[in-house]
Amino acid sequence: MERTSLTVAALLVCLSVAVVKGEDPYVFFEWNVTYGTISPLGVPLQGILINGQLPGPRINCTSNNNIVVNVFNHLDEPLLLTWNGVQQRKNSWQDGTPGTMCPIMPGTNFTYRFQVKDQIGSFFYFPTTDLHRAAGGFGGINVHSRALIPVPFDNPADEYNVFVGDWYNKGYKSLKKNLDGGRTIGRPDGIHINGKSSKVGDKVAESLFTIEAGKTYRYRFCNVGMRTSVNVRFQGHPMKLVEMEGSHTMQNIYESLDLHVGQCFSVLVTADQEPKDYYMIVSSRFLKQAHLSSVAIIRYANGKGPASSDLPTPPPENTEGIAWSINQFRSFRWNLTASAARPNPQGSYHYGQINITRTFKIVNSRSEVDGKLRFALNGISHTDADTPFKLAEYFGATEKFFKYDLMADEFQTDLNKVIVAPNIKNGTFRNFVEIIFENREKTIQTYHLDGYSFFAVAIEPGMWSPEKRKNYNLVDAINRHSIQVYPNSWAAVMTTLDNAGLWNLRSEMWERFYLGQQLYFSVLSPARSLRDEYNLPDNHPLCGVVKGMPMPSPYKA
């Protein structure tokens, strides 16, 4: 890739073309990705910063905006960023996963171009290469509704992004060395809030946000950690849940909310208490023999007095805590009457009345292969290739790298028998599918699907069987992009594979992702039409065996 930058003249040309063509508005960013010293838990480490920041710059945009992000890689390693929750309609070329894109090499740049088509909500970006997620490089993507489309709550006085998650003091290169050597990364060392941590009573603690009495604020929470579910709560202030991963929810009130790895939600909090300092508390969930927590100060403007050390009680743990958390999941409901990114109500899509075309039953496992730790789905532990699988498909070179459907639709093998190979599933274009995640392990899991949102219709203890479908929520399940699966439990989701491309279904527990707990759905349109999928972008880098190959015939309208 040639090193280029978006000059003012170039921006004006792009904007002029957009006006002439009647396109949706463009939003431009230029990001410099560098190493920098960070101390989320007070221990200095080499982290990954974007424009010198952690969290990185916020992408503040409106539904249907075209996003242009020119990323300069100043690291000494290849880099990719993915846009967690952005569906990239017809455009898996911009998804930022190793299966779809060649990485941005050190000292070069790449310009991502994508549209937040028919989406609203709270999302985030992060690096997918190497073990960079453990080093930072994350930031927010806030997609607002268009001006003429009503939102089911009054405009808040302000809105704040809150990134929470576990953290390791070993540094990402040491963690990677552990995984490459066949060992686990172990338990985290603590919890951070926006890249910092504090304890109750810290005299040097700064306020995270300042609020004014009588006003209501929107907090967009995302769990950007490596493996740990957390619970979030405010001292003395209940939360009204209003949005979850791109869907408006029924506006229930909660004293505390569980937030699993890779997930986001928005809450409204009203400053209606005595003006002084209060704590926001983030604590770990379902970590055996460990309880980690961090606090941040929410300060009333002109308030007087420190925050009380009397913190709200965390939810229960162990078996009782799992039941508590499942019940909370069941309380999350889609707001059927609210508008989404379009003027029509969210509930106008009656997913419960569509016949299921295909069922994928996926069981996760942990085992050893040649004495090294691996994680698998239905006995297949995914591994990447030097050539991204999407490029291999586009250039007709798939036989050099992988076989489709090596993994069966339903788990049929011994959990201890694991094959390490690329895990690419054929997904028939526009099929309505059901995906069952069954977790027979003792640790919680979280899964995310790129390119789509799905209806999270059920979570239950035990093992799944077809008769469990009678317990599905077929009316107002949240339409979202991630789902947690509790120990010795299952979860069911439904979606239509109507977005042509190659899409990553992955564990959001990054140790598991890195060691194979992921797959790709290949969803190809038989029409090979631009109505269904975009061509390879002109600026898209080529690598591996496709570099130097003749370009395939492009898709046509």
Side-chain angles (χ1 to χ4, degrees):
M1 288 173 288
E2 294 183 0
R3 187 179 180 89
T4 60
S5 62
L6 290 169
T7 64
V8 173
L11 297 187
L12 290 175
V13 169
C14 289
L15 289 172
S16 298
V17 171
V19 170
V20 170
K21 291 185 176 181
E23 292 184 74
D24 290 297
Y26 279 72
V27 184
F28 295 91
F29 300 89
E30 184 171 297
W31 290 356
N32 288 282
V33 183
T34 62
Y35 293 120
T37 301
I38 58 174
S39 306
L41 303 183
V43 177
L45 296 168
Q46 183 187 63
I48 294 176
L49 308 178
I50 300 180
N51 292 353
Q53 306 171 36
L54 184 72
R58 181 171 63 186
I59 295 179
N60 220 18
C61 59
T62 300
S63 176
N64 292 349
N65 279 177
N66 293 286
I67 312 300
V68 181
V69 188
N70 194 6
V71 178
F72 292 86
N73 179 13
H74 299 285
L75 309 182
D76 58 8
E77 300 171 318
L79 172 73
L80 278 175
L81 294 173
T82 195
W83 320 92
N84 210 59
V86 175
Q87 293 177 19
Q88 306 287 1
R89 302 298 299 180
K90 306 193 294 185
N91 197 20
S92 63
W93 303 113
Q94 306 292 319
D95 198 37
T97 59
T100 60
M101 296 182 65
C102 302
I104 308 169
M105 300 306 291
T108 69
N109 72 303
F110 175 75
T111 302
Y112 288 91
R113 295 183 176 94
F114 58 90
Q115 187 178 24
V116 284
K117 181 68 174 174
D118 292 335
Q119 287 192 263
I120 55 97
S122 306
F123 312 106
F124 68 98
Y125 59 84
F126 68 93
T128 57
T129 35
D130 214 33
L131 210 63
H132 291 150
R133 180 162 172 161
F138 55 79
I141 308 171
N142 298 350
V143 187
H144 299 270
S145 293
R146 289 176 286 171
L148 298 179
I149 297 179
V151 175
F153 50 87
D154 293 335
N155 287 333
D158 207 341
E159 61 178 44
Y160 301 121
N161 287 83
V162 187
F163 302 100
V164 299
D166 54 17
W167 192 263
Y168 291 78
N169 284 332
K170 293 179 182 177
Y172 82 94
K173 291 183 178 179
S174 295
L175 297 177
K176 179 180 181 296
K177 186 176 180 180
N178 278 3
L179 295 181
D180 291 343
R183 304 184 304 277
T184 179
I185 59 175
R187 291 192 181 92
D189 295 297
I191 301 289
H192 75 86
I193 303 174
N194 280 2
K196 298 180 180 180
S197 64
S198 297
K199 299 299 180 186
V200 172
D202 283 356
K203 294 182 179 180
V204 295
E206 300 177 358
S207 62
L208 183 64
F209 304 115
T210 298
I211 58 179
E212 295 183 26
K215 294 184 177 180
T216 297
Y217 297 83
R218 180 176 185 172
Y219 294 85
R220 297 177 185 255
F221 284 92
C222 291
N223 186 337
V224 297
M226 291 286 285
R227 64 181 296 180
T228 307
S229 298
V230 299
N231 180 269
V232 299
R233 52 202 183 274
F234 288 81
Q235 192 177 45
H237 295 74
M239 299 174 286
K240 179 186 289 186
L241 183 68
V242 294
E243 177 260 333
M244 181 174 286
E245 296 176 20
S247 289
H248 294 304
T249 63
M250 296 301 292
Q251 297 179 12
N252 297 327
I253 305 297
Y254 298 90
E255 297 298 325
S256 72
L257 282 163
D258 279 354
L259 182 61
H260 306 281
V261 182
Q263 297 182 351
C264 298
F265 57 61
S266 292
V267 296
L268 297 180
V269 177
T270 300
D272 57 1
Q273 299 297 308
E274 176 190 353
K276 63 185 190 73
D277 288 354
Y278 293 87
Y279 284 123
M280 173 197 295
I281 306 100
V282 180
S283 56
S284 62
R285 295 286 276 147
F286 315 120
L287 274 183
K288 288 187 176 181
Q289 300 174 342
H291 181 77
L292 306 174
S293 66
S294 183
V295 299
I297 291 176
I298 308 298
R299 177 160 293 160
Y300 275 69
N302 302 316
K304 296 181 180 180
S308 167
S309 60
D310 185 15
L311 301 183
T313 304
E317 288 288 341
N318 303 320
T319 303
E320 183 184 355
I322 291 173
W324 183 95
S325 195
I326 291 176
N327 285 334
Q328 185 172 87
F329 163 82
R330 291 171 178 163
S331 74
F332 301 150
R333 298 300 175 104
W334 213 27
N335 188 333
L336 300 183
T337 60
S339 294
R342 294 184 177 184
N344 53 298
Q346 291 184 143
S348 61
Y349 182 77
H350 301 291
Y351 68 93
Q353 299 175 15
I354 304 174
N355 292 328
I356 297 168
T357 310
R358 189 175 179 185
T359 296
F360 300 95
K361 182 181 176 183
I362 298 175
V363 179
N364 53 275
S365 63
R366 170 180 175 149
S367 58
E368 287 191 357
V369 177
D370 297 330
K372 291 187 175 183
L373 178 66
R374 295 296 300 187
F375 297 96
L377 298 174
N378 288 5
I380 308 297
S381 184
H382 175 81
T383 184
D384 290 314
D386 292 336
T387 303
F389 306 114
K390 180 60 181 172
L391 282 175
E393 271 191 341
Y394 193 72
F395 280 84
T398 56
E399 70 281 353
K400 298 178 183 292
F401 300 103
F402 64 89
K403 295 181 179 179
Y404 290 102
D405 297 321
L406 191 62
M407 186 190 89
D409 284 9
E410 292 198 32
F411 179 70
Q412 299 172 338
T413 60
D414 185 338
L415 281 172
N416 294 315
K417 293 181 179 179
V418 171
I419 298 172
V420 179
N423 195 356
I424 316 295
K425 289 291 293 179
N426 262 317
T428 307
F429 189 47
R430 293 183 176 146
N431 267 11
F432 187 70
V433 303
E434 170 190 52
I435 306 175
I436 311 299
F437 300 100
E438 193 172 274
N439 179 16
R440 301 179 187 177
E441 298 186 62
K442 297 179 180 179
T443 56
I444 193 169
Q445 312 288 319
T446 309
Y447 291 95
H448 164 87
L449 177 58
D450 280 352
Y452 300 93
S453 58
F454 49 61
F455 293 96
V457 295
I459 293 178
E460 287 190 358
M463 297 176 67
W464 183 86
S465 58
E467 58 267 21
K468 298 292 186 180
R469 292 187 179 118
K470 68 179 184 296
N471 299 333
Y472 287 4
N473 176 359
L474 298 180
V475 177
D476 58 357
I478 299 287
N479 189 234
R480 55 191 304 185
H481 59 73
S482 70
I483 187 71
Q484 70 270 20
V485 194
Y486 298 93
N488 300 308
S489 301
W490 59 268
V493 304
M494 295 170 152
T495 192
T496 303
L497 299 179
D498 60 354
N499 191 16
L502 190 78
W503 305 108
N504 191 220
L505 173 66
R506 61 176 174 263
S507 171
E508 283 286 343
M509 334 298 270
W510 217 243
E511 172 185 53
R512 289 176 171 266
F513 168 87
Y514 186 84
L515 294 181
Q517 196 168 312
Q518 56 169 308
L519 60 84
Y520 285 88
F521 278 116
S522 173
V523 183
L524 296 175
S525 166
R528 292 181 60 86
S529 169
L530 288 174
R531 290 171 295 178
D532 299 327
E533 185 174 9
Y534 297 138
N535 283 307
L536 178 72
D538 292 339
N539 72 325
H540 203 286
L542 300 180
C543 56
V545 300
V546 303
K547 194 171 185 179
M549 290 179 65
M551 289 296 296
S553 299
Y555 297 160
K556 296 181 179 179

